[in-house]
């Protein structure tokens, strides 16, 4: 907090005049009256001038005061401002007293305007640099987990560099992006990526987990993160922030450090282990019908304790598959045979004296992930200029072999006062992010797919040399299905690479003009430019592409953002303050994707498009331009009543030319009722505020939907991959089939928010509550229409959806003394959502998933409802049981649960004793379903732990369909039922595998110790060591991997687990050294 | 103070300038996708339509494959193909076909018309270009409409293809659609006669107007014959069309030839990506019984080198069953739109059924038809043909039913995997003599497709159809 105010103080000082002649030099230390500690960042201004400075980290200041002035104004946020007359002495030390009324935080709001939270009519939440650093997460999004109410964050996988979904206050759009805008130092940056393919088209369940681009931010550079949640908070940012905004302020150089440069070095080492994994059985072996068979896809073979190994049979690959075959290439231990004739019909192949069968743990595949993170920063500044430079290196070796991620960032920022009126600033950030990602999900190369389907008797690792030449013969790889079926996970991670590399430049330049004390102008131009190259490679001999395959993708994103802002800040009458802002924004978003795909490699291990005889290419470009003007009027009276009105008008190219302008306002009010005469200076409740706001937030359309166009689409038929165009050197285009809509208008969300902020007992207890109601109207979606109209879909404004929620924050500091401090923070959120309308004739819209397990938006249901098949049920919801004692599957698709939780809570506490600090954060997600498709599949394959009960009798609880009586018939859930019948996730209803994905987890636990005071006399300014554990404890009913997972990455279709990569738990040891 | 004011004004001007330039900045052209042009040449639409018709409308896996399973050319050994063989065919199953026919094939052809019509208002040279595209698009549109109405009966046409102007078009009766088909073909012939140009990117006839005229007459004959149950002039109309200049040799066949991976035949892609469909014993046994030389191109031998088809009661995994062969299931196998052999079969049937021609002419047409078919696949065997000719000549003139059965059976063999066989089967009330699948959901071969689920859902004008055994207009129960 304090560090942050330094930045603020700096902004305030920016317009102050330079040093005048005939001066005396005053110096001193500013401390806090409460604990006598020095306060850095205190503003000291010579009254009636613009001359001033701020205190350094030790609370010290040096100020040249012109001879004719003698009063200093000393102010600091949260402290009572003091005016002090300079005496004879040139030393002036002062203790500032806390000011309850002004203990409010300063936060950066929309358009980079710092503002006291007491003046806000909406809720905001702030996360500090310390929290971010000690969370020790590579992706800054993940460091916010559990710390902010109404913010949902889901890491898609535990692999290095996997993307994360983030949504604030649920969802606003039906098919559009529901993720917030990321703003760094006032300039929006891109956070695209992290999904696979066109999710809305039902693709994307296979592939690799890619990063979303917020991962490019170096967490060490962050000073603070402020989360803007509601429409009123983001109204000035307009449509790009319609789903909220994550406002990131980076560290800056500090004025007045002179020639001294502050150098900070931080390093950390993180070890990752896979966390929860699906439970597997190791009692039964590969095969079917209780008999071992080499190469069989399923594990419904013999009970292993009745078997031994036999190597006497030496059948080779190519001999008939029936009967006993020993395949030494595959079954390295030998053939599995019975100890005696009882187990097998085939009496020839018994070995009563053979070695007992041992089983392999497929999870031995996973390794300990290692992340090293090193960063160094240098900062400094004079009264005129400041600078900040940093370099960071993050190297992650994932828990999956060969999965790695690396990020290097270089940042330089600075500002300088050209005169007493003009200031220029600049910021450049160059980032290189690259990695090797591993195939996952529903994909014959998927690691978990290969691992979990492998029978316990098969050693996947035998003969494999990762990174070298794997065991490879006859053009086939070594896998439990004799090289067929799925890729051996070792093959996947060793041979099938997906290497991507991003080069990114984020920069901005700004100029500020302080026309008068109350009027200034500022201009900022920002650019975010990244290029990404991805090489997706499947080796010759891979299951999906036996002839080898490579796809090379090149992506370019170029975003420009320009803001010109005029600000008026004036006390125009005795108790009235006016703050007025008028701004212009111009944005350009450009994206281009080019890829070439080549099928059938001529030579091994040479991944180049030229290594094939036929290639296909694809190009996609989108460009959006927007312009807007916005105004913000803030009035305050006696620091008690606050009124805020904003309005923004945008023009967007994605809307029809005749109707591309749209206006949306917001209104807000805050009343600090404790300022009333009777309530003022109350000891119990020194601060109380109620606030209310209403805002309309608009989003423009996706590009290129206003007109129907011709397209060279591949001709397909729902059965096959189809024939591409150009067709054998002949170009071809088809009209539509999407119907261009010249009547598009922006979709709008009307958002209402009301809340209260209360602070008790000298700020020891603070409580904040907010209720919001977001009503989305004219929401855009691609609606199917009757093809006889000549078109198959129409992009139109048709849907509506309501989201309401409660968020609660409680901060308690039971103990606060010089040596002890104990702080407890609780965030609670509860969101309800209902889709009210989609489009005429459309009650259901597919968001993502599989044919029989879909995430849908369905009228009358919450957004993101899992749809799928269930058992037949009677009117009371009881399963109907057939005469054989088994439940009866139904082929109807029905709603099976809501993906989003009932409520979430983050509860954290920090206990500090002197320089030792201990903190933890418990993250609770209550409710929310997930389709555990993995479970349904591994039941079929007979590897799931539950299938060990294959010979036990079981009574299905339900009503016998023919008699209406409760079922009492016991059955055995054997291969006939599980594999051939409806007892698995492929043939049977998916409802069996809809699981509660709620959790209680120890999200982080941190122990840190500062050695700074021990080193006071040395050149070391600060030294801190810390340990952080992440996800060390996880309590969940979910039976698969860590339920914080998403097959479809950060798309809207959350809630799908189909052989997802497992999550991780991490242990970090870190050190920060300041010189 | 003054100095500040100047700066003020300067900056305010800058603001105004910034706002004023918004208009230029928000250039509507930015919203034109660089990947999807707002206008293209007719020729690229023609190429796309032809591939699309071959891949979907005429030769698609939702129509040619399904009707070929029903016509017992091939067998659905597993998964969906097995369900289709058991006469399970739902409105979600033909959704893709319906949608492609309307929102791609036919509207693209309509687009060609629009562009060609614009040319008709220009110079004579441009008019000539307009005519050739109008003509080719007319033949293809007639063919697409025919394929669509033949499985669905009443379908939207007059109100269709209007986008926002009519999101729920009414349905025209099949009778109206047939009138439209014939008039489209008449107009197409007139256009093709009026041109001296050739079309670009025509993947079927390389732009030749005269070949398209022959195809148009052939189509006129086919669609006239389709009405044999409901029109007294069906046979004479068909013969008149043939005599007017229908396709007169195999070289004139209206075939779409695929050029090989990745531009492959749709059935090849199906078999390659999914398998599931192998030879039906009905066809294989017929060919073996007849020692028909087309066996080697119609099917590939199984692993043991034998030709074996699967019957309806077959329960194996298909490893002993032959796969469809080069004629229909290879990368480069053609999708025939209409062929010379079919014209000869129409001639044989029409001459026989009209009763106005000597039986010898009927027999000559039949023998020529069989020969043309074998010749098309490069398996014409003169010895075989001599024996076959003797066999046909031996049929007594009075045995017209026997001759008719032979014509239809030979036509069924010749039009292997073509949707026309399904039309013939319905039109002749099973003159081929197929026995329905005893394991079918109903022990009767289906007589139509259900309206697609999207059309039912989004177009309230969609007629209600009882089931897939309900007949289309021209398929009268008795005749």
């Amino acid at each position: 907090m304090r560090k942050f105010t330094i930045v603020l103080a700096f902004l305030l000082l920016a317009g102050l005049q330079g040093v005048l002649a005939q001066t005396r030099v005053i110096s001193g230390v500013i401390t806090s009256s409460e604990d006598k500690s020095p306060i850095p960042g205190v503003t000291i201004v010579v009254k009636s001038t613009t001359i001033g400075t701020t205190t350094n980290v030790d609370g010290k200041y040096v100020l040249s005061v012109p001879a004719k002035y003698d009063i200093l104004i000393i102010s600091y946020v949260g402290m009572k401002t003091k005016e002090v007359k300079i005496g004879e002495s040139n030393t002036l030390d002062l203790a500032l007293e806390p000011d309850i009324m002004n203990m409010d935080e300063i936060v950066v709001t929309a358009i980079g305007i710092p503002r006291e939270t007491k003046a806000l009519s909406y809720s905001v939440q702030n996360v500090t640099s310390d929290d971010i650093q000690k969370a020790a997460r590579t992706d800054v999004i993940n460091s916010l987990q559990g710390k902010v109410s109404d913010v949902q964050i889901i890491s898609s996988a535990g692999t290095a560099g996997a993307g994360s979904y983030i949504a604030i206050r649920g969802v606003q759009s039906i098919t559009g992006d529901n993720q917030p805008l990321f703003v760094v130092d006032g300039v929006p940056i891109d956070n695209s990526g992290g999904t696979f393919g066109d999710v809305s088209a039902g693709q994307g369940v296979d592939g690799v987990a890619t990063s979303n681009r917020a991962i490019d931010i170096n967490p060490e550079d962050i000073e603070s993160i402020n989360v803007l949640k509601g429409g009123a908070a983001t109204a000035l940012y307009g449509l790009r922030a319609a789903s909220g905004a994550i406002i990131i302020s980076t560290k800056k150089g500090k004025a007045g450090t002179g020639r001294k440069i502050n150098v900070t070095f931080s390093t950390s080492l993180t070890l990752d282990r896979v966390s929860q994994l699906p439970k597997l059985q190791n009692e039964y072996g590969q095969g079917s019908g209780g008999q071992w068979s080499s190469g069989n896809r399923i594990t419904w073979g013999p009970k292993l304790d009745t078997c031994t190994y036999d190597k006497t049979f030496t059948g080779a690959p190519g001999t008939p598959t029936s009967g006993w075959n020993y395949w030494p290439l595959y079954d390295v231990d030998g053939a599995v045979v019975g100890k005696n004739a009882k187990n097998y019909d085939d009496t020839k192949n018994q070995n009563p004296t053979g070695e007992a069968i041992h089983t392999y743990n497929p999870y031995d595949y996973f390794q300990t992930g290692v992340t090293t993170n090193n960063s160094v920063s240098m900062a400094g500044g004079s009264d005129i200029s400041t600078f900040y430079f940093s370099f960071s290196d993050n190297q992650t070796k994932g828990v999956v072999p060969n999965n790695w991620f690396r990020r290097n960032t270089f940042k330089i920022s600075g500002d300088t006062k050209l005169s007493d009126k003009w200031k220029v600033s600049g910021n450049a950030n160059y980032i290189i992010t690259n990695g090797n990602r591993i195939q996952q999900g529903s994909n014959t190369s998927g690691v978990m797919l290969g691992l979990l389907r492998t029978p316990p008797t098969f050693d996947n690792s035998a003969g494999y040399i990762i990174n070298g030449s794997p065991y490879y013969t006859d053009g086939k790889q070594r896998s439990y299905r004799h090289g067929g079926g799925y890729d051996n996970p070792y093959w996947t991670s060793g041979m099938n690479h997906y290497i991507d590399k991003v080069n990114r430049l984020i920069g901005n330049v700004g100029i500020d003009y302080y026309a008068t004390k109350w009027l200034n102008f500022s201009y900022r131009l920002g650019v975010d430019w990244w290029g990404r190259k991805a090489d997706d490679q499947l080796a010759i001999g891979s299951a999906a592409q036996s002839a080898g395959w490579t796809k090379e993708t090149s992506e370019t994103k170029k975003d420009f953002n320009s803001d010109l802002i005029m600000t008026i800040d004036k006390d125009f009458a005795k108790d009235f303050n006016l703050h007025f802002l008028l701004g212009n924004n111009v944005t350009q978003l450009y994206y281009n994707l080019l890829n070439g795909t080549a099928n059938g490699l001529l030579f091994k291990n040479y991944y180049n498009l030229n290594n094939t005889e036929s290639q296909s290419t694809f190009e996609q470009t989108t460009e959006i331009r927007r312009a807007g003007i916005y105004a913000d009027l803030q009035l305050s009276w006696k620091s008690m009543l606050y009124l805020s009105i904003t309005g923004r008008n945008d023009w967007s190219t994605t809307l029809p030319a005749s109707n591309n302008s749209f206006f949306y306002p917001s209104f807000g009010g805050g009343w600090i009722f404790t300022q009333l005469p009777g309530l003022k200076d109350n000891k119990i409740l020194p601060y109380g505020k109620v606030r209310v706001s209403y805002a309309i937030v608009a989003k423009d359309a996706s590009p290129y939907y206003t007109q129907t166009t011709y397209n060279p689409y591949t001709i397909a038929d729902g059965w096959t991959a189809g024939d591409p165009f150009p067709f054998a050197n002949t170009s071809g285009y088809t009209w539509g089939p999407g119907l261009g809509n010249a009547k598009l208008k922006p979709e709008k969300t009307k958002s209402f928010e009301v809340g209260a902020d209360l602070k008790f007992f000298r700020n020891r207890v603070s409580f904040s509550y907010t209720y919001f109601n977001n009503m989305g109207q004219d929401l855009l979606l691609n609606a199917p229409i009757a093809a006889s109209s000549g078109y198959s879909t129409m992009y139109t404004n048709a849907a509506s959806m309501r989201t309401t929620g409660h968020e609660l924050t409680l901060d308690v500091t039971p103990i606060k003394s010089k040596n002890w401090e104990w702080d407890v923070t609780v965030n609670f959120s509860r969101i309800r959502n209902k889709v009210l309308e989609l489009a005429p004739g459309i009650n259901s819209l597919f968001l993502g998933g599989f044919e029989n397990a879909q995430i849908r938006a369905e009228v009358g249901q919450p957004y993101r409802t899992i749809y799928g098949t269930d058992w037949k049920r009677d009117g009371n919801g009881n399963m109907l049981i057939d005469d054989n004692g088994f439940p009866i599957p139904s082929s109807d698709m029905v709603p099976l649960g809501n993906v989003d939780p009932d409520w979430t809570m983050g509860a954290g506490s920090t206990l500090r004793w002197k320089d030792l600090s201990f903190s933890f954060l418990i993250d609770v997600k209550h409710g929310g379903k997930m389709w555990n498709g993995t479970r349904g599949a591994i039941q079929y394959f007979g590897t799931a732990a539950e299938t060990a009960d294959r010979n036990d009798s079981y009574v299905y609880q339900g009503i016998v369909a023919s008699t209406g009586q409760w079922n009492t018939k016991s059955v055995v859930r054997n291969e006939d039922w599980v594999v051939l019948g409806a007892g698995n996730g492929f043939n049977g209803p998916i409802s069996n595998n809809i699981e509660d994905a709620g959790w209680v987890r120890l999200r982080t636990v941190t122990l840190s110790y500062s050695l700074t005071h021990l080193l006071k006399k040395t050149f070391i300014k600060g030294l801190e060591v810390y340990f952080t554990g992440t996800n060390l404890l996880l309590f969940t009913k979910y039976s698969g991997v860590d339920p914080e997972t998403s097959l479809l990455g950060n798309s809207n279709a959350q809630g799908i687990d189909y052989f997802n990569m497992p999550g991780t738990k991490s242990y970090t040891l870190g050190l920060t050294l300041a010189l | 103070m003054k100095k500040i004011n100047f700066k003020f004004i300067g900056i305010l001007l800058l603001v105004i300038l910034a706002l004023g330039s918004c208009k230029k900045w928000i250039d509507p052209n930015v919203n034109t996708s660089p990947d999807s042009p707002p206008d293209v040449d007719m020729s690229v639409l023609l190429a796309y339509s032809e591939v699309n018709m071959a891949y979907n409308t005429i030769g698609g896996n939702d129509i040619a494959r399904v009707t070929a399973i029903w016509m017992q050319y091939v067998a659905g050994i597993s998964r969906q193909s097995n369900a289709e063989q058991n006469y399970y065919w739902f409105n979600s199953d033909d959704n893709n076909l319906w949608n492609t026919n309307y929102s791609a094939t036919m509207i693209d052809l309509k687009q060609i018309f629009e562009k060609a019509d614009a040319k008709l208002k220009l110079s004579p040279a441009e008019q000539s270009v307009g005519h050739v595209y109008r003509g080719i698009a007319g033949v293809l549109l007639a063919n697409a409409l025919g394929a669509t109405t033949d499985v669905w009966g009443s379908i939207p046409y007059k109100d269709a293809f209007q986008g926002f102007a009519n999101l729920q078009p009414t349905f025209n009766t099949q009778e109206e659609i047939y009138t439209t088909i014939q008039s489209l073909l008449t107009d197409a012939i007139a256009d093709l006669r009026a041109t001296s140009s050739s079309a670009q990117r025509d993947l079927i006839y390389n732009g030749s107007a005269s070949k398209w005229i022959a195809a148009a007459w052939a189509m006129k004959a086919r669609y006239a014959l389709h009405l044999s149950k409901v029109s007294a002039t069906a046979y004479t109309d068909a013969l008149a069309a043939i005599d007017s200049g229908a396709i007169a040799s195999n070289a004139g066949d209206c075939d779409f030839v695929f050029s090989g991976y990745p531009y492959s035949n749709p059935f090849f892609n199906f078999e390659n990506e999914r398998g599931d469909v192998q030879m039906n014993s009905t066809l294989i046994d017929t060919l073996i019984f007849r020692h028909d030389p087309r066996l080697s191109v119609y099917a590939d031998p199984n692993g043991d080198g034998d030709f074996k088809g699967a019957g309806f009661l077959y329960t194996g995994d298909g490893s002993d069953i032959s796969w469809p062969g080069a004629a229909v299931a290879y990368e480069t196998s053609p999708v025939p739109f209409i062929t010379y052999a079919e014209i000869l079969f129409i001639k044989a049937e029409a001459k026989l059924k009209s009763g106005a021609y000597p039986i010898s002419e009927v027999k000559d047409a039949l023998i020529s038809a069989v020969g043309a078919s074998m010749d098309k696949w490069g398996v014409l065997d003169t010895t075989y043909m001599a024996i076959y000719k003797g066999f046909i000549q031996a049929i007594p003139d009075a045995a017209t039913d026997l001759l008719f059965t032979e014509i239809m059976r030979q036509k069924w063999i010749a039009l292997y995997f073509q949707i026309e066989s399904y039309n013939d089967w319905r039109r002749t009330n099973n003159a081929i003599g197929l026995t329905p699948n005893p394991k079918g959901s109903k022990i009767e071969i289906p007589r139509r497709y259900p309206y697609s689920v999207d059309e039912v859902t989004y177009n309230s004008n969609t007629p209600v159809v009882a089931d897939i055994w309900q007949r289309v207009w021209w398929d009268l129960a008795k005749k």
Side-chain angles (χ1 to χ4, degrees), chain A residues 513 519 599 620-621 625-626 629 653 704 710-711 713 717 719-721 723 728 733-735 740 787-789, chain B residues 7-8 19 25 31 35-37 48 55 61-62 65 108 111 115 160-161 163-164 259 261 264 273-274 455:
Chain A
Y513 172 61
L519 173 72
N599 244 319
Q620 189 197 345
T621 307
R625 284 192 203 166
R626 296 172 183 139
I629 46 170
T653 54
Y704 312 136
Y710 294 92
N711 293 287
Y713 291 142
D717 59 2
W719 298 102
T720 61
D723 285 4
Y733 281 81
T734 183
W735 176 237
S788 55
S789 67
Chain B
K7 280 186 181 167
F8 257 10
L19 298 184
W25 175 250
N31 206 36
D35 309 311
S36 311
Y48 197 95
Y55 205 89
N61 282 303
D62 283 341
R65 184 185 56 90
D108 286 345
Q111 285 287 311
K115 293 181 189 303
F161 314 113
F164 278 111
S259 55
Y261 182 85
S264 309
E273 293 175 39
R274 291 170 169 260
E455 196 69 23

Side-chain angles (χ1 to χ4, degrees), chain A residues 262 276-277 311 379 542 627 759:
Chain A
N262 295 318
Q276 186 168 301
L277 289 160
K311 288 195 176 183
S542 293
K759 294 186 185 201

Side-chain angles (χ1 to χ4, degrees), chain A residues 421-422 513 515-516 518-519 521 564 566 582-588 592 599 614-615 619-629 651-657 660 702-737 739-742 784-792 794-796 840-842 844 851, chain B residues 1 3-4 7-8 11-12 14-15 18-19 22 24-40 43-49 51-53 55-56 60-62 65-66 80-81 84 89 93 96 98-100 102-105 107-108 111 115 156 159-164 166-169 171 201 203 256-259 261-266 269-271 273-274 454-455 457-459:
Chain A
K421 301 281 185 201
W422 294 90
Y513 172 61
T516 68
W518 49 269
L519 173 72
F521 295 90
L564 176 63
M566 177 186 81
L582 183 67
N584 161 257
N585 173 262
V586 177
T587 305
Q588 179 181 33
N592 175 266
N599 244 319
S614 95
Q615 301 90 16
E619 181 177 8
Q620 189 197 345
T621 307
T622 56
E623 187 180 348
I624 299 172
R625 284 192 203 166
R626 296 172 183 139
I629 46 170
W651 289 262
S652 167
T653 54
T654 68
L655 293 167
N660 61 11
S702 297
Y704 312 136
Y705 277 111
T706 53
Q707 56 183 345
T708 311
T709 56
Y710 294 92
N711 293 287
Y713 291 142
T714 291
I715 289 177
D717 59 2
W719 298 102
T720 61
D723 285 4
F725 272 94
F727 182 92
N729 304 324
T730 304
S731 286
Y733 281 81
T734 183
W735 176 237
L739 177 56
N741 188 343
I785 52 175
S788 55
S789 67
Y791 306 85
S792 61
M794 168 176 83
Y795 188 66
T796 187
I842 301 165
S844 187
E851 248 175 57
Chain B
M1 255 340 249
K3 204 178 155 196
I4 289 170
K7 280 186 181 167
F8 257 10
I11 287 168
L12 279 174
L14 213 70
V15 173
L19 298 184
C22 278
K24 256 190 199 159
W25 175 250
I26 303 299
D27 179 354
N29 293 325
V30 168
N31 206 36
T32 301
S33 168
D35 309 311
S36 311
D39 198 14
V40 293
S43 63
V44 295
L45 285 167
L46 178 63
Y48 197 95
S49 305
V51 180
N52 203 13
M53 280 183 74
Y55 205 89
N56 280 303
N61 282 303
D62 283 341
R65 184 185 56 90
V66 175
Q80 292 96 335
S81 299
E84 289 151 14
W89 186 240
D93 296 326
N96 262 322
W98 175 276
N99 287 350
T100 319
Y102 275 95
S103 66
T105 302
I107 196 155
D108 286 345
Q111 285 287 311
K115 293 181 189 303
D159 282 351
F161 314 113
Q162 293 175 16
F164 278 111
N166 194 343
L167 290 170
Q168 298 194 25
F171 281 60
R201 297 191 171 82
L203 297 167
F256 187 93
V257 182
F258 286 87
S259 55
Y261 182 85
Y263 317 106
S264 309
N265 176 292
N269 280 345
F270 184 94
E271 295 288 66
E273 293 175 39
R274 291 170 169 260
D454 281 358
E455 196 69 23
T457 311
Y458 306 121
N459 186 354

Side-chain angles (χ1 to χ4, degrees), chain A residues 544-555:
Chain A
Q545 299 283 347
S546 58
W549 182 87
T550 182
K551 179 174 182 175
E552 305 202 356
T553 303
S554 167
E555 284 179 289

